[in-house]
Amino acid sequence: MAGIKEAKYIWMNGEFVPWKEAKIHVLTHALHYASSVFEGIRCYKTKKGSFVFRLKDHIKRLFDSAKIYRMEIPYSFDEILVACKRTVIENGLEECYIRPLVFRGYHSLGVNPLDCPVEVVIAVWEWGKYLGPEALEKGVDVMVSSWTRIAPNTVPPLAKASGNYANGQLIKMEAILYGFSEGIALDSMGFVSEGSGENIFAVKDGVIYTPFLDACILPGITRDTVIKLAREAGYEVREVMLPREFLYIADEVFFTGTAAEITPIKSIDKMIIGKGERGPVTKKLQEMFFSYIKGEVPDKYGWLEPLK
Ligand code: PPE
């Protein structure tokens, strides 16, 4: 896989620092104990200029994640909002991924994070198609992971915390090394949860199904977007406990996420899903999603945050 595409500056605790100089100490608390929370946001170029998709919702989730971990972000909501936009502008980018990270910095070591300073960085970079260049059109081959998703009252899934991705990495590495693009984790009850970096949907007989928050999913902003757009298009969307085998017999299955956008799944565990290609409902939702983010339809939900 290609390395990260470097931009010019990273916002570090209120200052722009040249990309290569954005460094921290090796005894930073977060590096040892995963005491960090983050967001992943996309800025899209449209005919009317660049827009950050659902920026306020992402920042809300960042503050929620920090709250769960008793981290007080030393900036206001509006300061983070402006800093995200300024980082894109300062880097001269029109379309990119935005990664704010809030972490416990250097002070003391040991599990107790309370005395460590809370630091904030915001990086932006150009990020192409998350699950490969052809994924959006052709779909991806995935497997059900042998790893179970983080469980209730352990590592809390409503926080988008770095620690969650220890589990995510096990799921992702297994899938990649077995020759798949992604792994789907089941929750501790054995119901479908989500991918290592995506929420999941299944379509059967015209009805759209997706796991409810009970299944230890991240409350995805793309998931919410797709639910709203699907209902608007007249589809019935049910949030349910989804048995694993329901995926195999579904007509269509797809992932959603900021990075993955809406990615069709063409096989699971070497079983062909539906016709083994992007299905009509997935295609329709992609069309609605992409025309929304490109500003081709009215922004009725106020999801497009102008960059300038
Ligand atoms: N579940 C997980 C575990 C997850 O990491 C993401 C986002 C989602 C669901 C979808 O959430 P949302 O982006 O709000 O629709 N994963 C981010 C990080 C990917 C990465 O490799 O890092 C992302 O898509 O930005």
Side-chain angles (χ1 to χ4, degrees):
M1 208 172 90
I4 191 165
K5 196 160 177 199
E6 295 181 9
K8 292 184 210 144
Y9 304 105
I10 291 179
W11 189 95
M12 272 187 100
N13 301 313
E15 319 252 330
F16 285 109
V17 177
W19 181 281
K20 290 219 189 296
E21 287 163 32
K23 293 180 181 167
I24 53 163
H25 197 274
V26 290
L27 297 185
T28 294
H29 196 272
L31 194 55
H32 295 246
Y33 304 105
S35 39
S36 44
V37 299
F38 66 98
E39 270 307 317
I41 311 164
R42 274 193 195 263
C43 174
Y44 289 102
K45 184 182 171 187
T46 79
K47 290 199 186 84
K48 297 172 213 151
S50 291
F51 292 89
V52 184
F53 189 63
R54 301 193 67 169
L55 178 58
K56 291 195 178 96
D57 294 312
H58 281 281
I59 296 177
K60 243 181 248 161
R61 192 171 65 184
L62 183 69
F63 275 83
D64 287 347
S65 301
K67 181 175 186 184
I68 292 169
Y69 280 96
R70 301 177 190 274
M71 294 163 121
E72 204 168 318
I73 299 181
Y75 300 95
S76 68
F77 184 96
D78 289 336
E79 284 169 329
I80 299 290
L81 183 117
V82 170
C84 284
K85 295 204 253 185
R86 274 195 58 210
T87 310
V88 179
I89 294 166
E90 202 74 16
N91 279 288
L93 294 172
E94 293 182 302
E95 187 159 278
C96 62
Y97 188 78
I98 307 172
R99 167 60 56 86
L101 173 76
V102 177
F103 65 98
R104 295 280 190 177
Y106 174 83
H107 178 68
S108 54
L109 225 48
V111 173
N112 178 11
L114 291 170
D115 292 335
C116 293
V118 175
E119 303 197 32
V120 185
V121 300
I122 303 168
V124 301
W125 66 89
E126 289 175 73
W127 209 2
K129 299 305 165 204
Y130 189 57
L131 296 173
E134 295 196 318
L136 291 184
E137 209 179 307
K138 299 262 188 279
V140 290
D141 299 303
V142 308
M143 63 179 280
V144 172
S145 186
S146 70
W147 293 100
T148 298
R149 171 81 180 149
I150 51 176
N153 209 32
T154 59
V155 181
L158 299 192
K160 188 171 170 69
S162 302
N164 304 15
Y165 293 85
N167 177 249
Q169 288 174 65
L170 293 170
I171 294 161
K172 187 75 178 185
M173 288 190 288
E174 178 186 56
I176 297 287
L177 295 174
Y178 284 16
F180 297 94
S181 299
E182 182 57 286
I184 299 165
L186 306 180
D187 68 16
S188 46
M189 298 272 291
F191 291 98
V192 175
S193 179
E194 61 178 357
S196 74
E198 311 87 359
N199 293 116
I200 192 165
F201 286 76
V203 184
K204 193 162 173 62
D205 301 325
V207 177
I208 302 174
Y209 300 85
T210 196
F212 194 59
L213 298 187
D214 307 41
C216 281
I217 61 167
L218 180 77
I221 289 166
T222 321
R223 173 184 180 276
D224 179 72
T225 302
V226 164
I227 291 173
K228 289 205 169 70
L229 294 179
R231 288 189 175 142
E232 193 183 303
Y235 292 109
E236 184 185 341
V237 183
R238 292 190 202 153
E239 292 176 90
V240 291
M241 287 163 89
L242 210 57
R244 168 185 187 159
E245 67 278 19
F246 190 88
L247 299 179
Y248 301 141
I249 58 173
D251 303 322
E252 303 176 34
V253 182
F254 59 87
F255 281 135
T256 65
T258 299
E261 297 171 317
I262 300 175
T263 299
I265 294 172
K266 64 178 153 74
S267 78
I268 303 173
D269 298 337
K270 304 263 180 195
M271 270 193 261
I272 301 293
I273 305 306
K275 297 203 170 101
E277 59 186 26
R278 175 176 59 185
V281 179
T282 311
K283 186 157 183 277
K284 166 82 183 158
L285 293 170
Q286 281 184 336
E287 283 163 4
M288 290 183 80
F289 178 74
F290 287 114
S291 50
Y292 201 106
I293 60 177
K294 285 184 194 141
E296 291 163 4
V297 293
D299 181 14
K300 65 190 265 196
Y301 300 106
W303 287 339
L304 303 181
E305 179 79 28
L307 187 60
K308 290 182 181 160

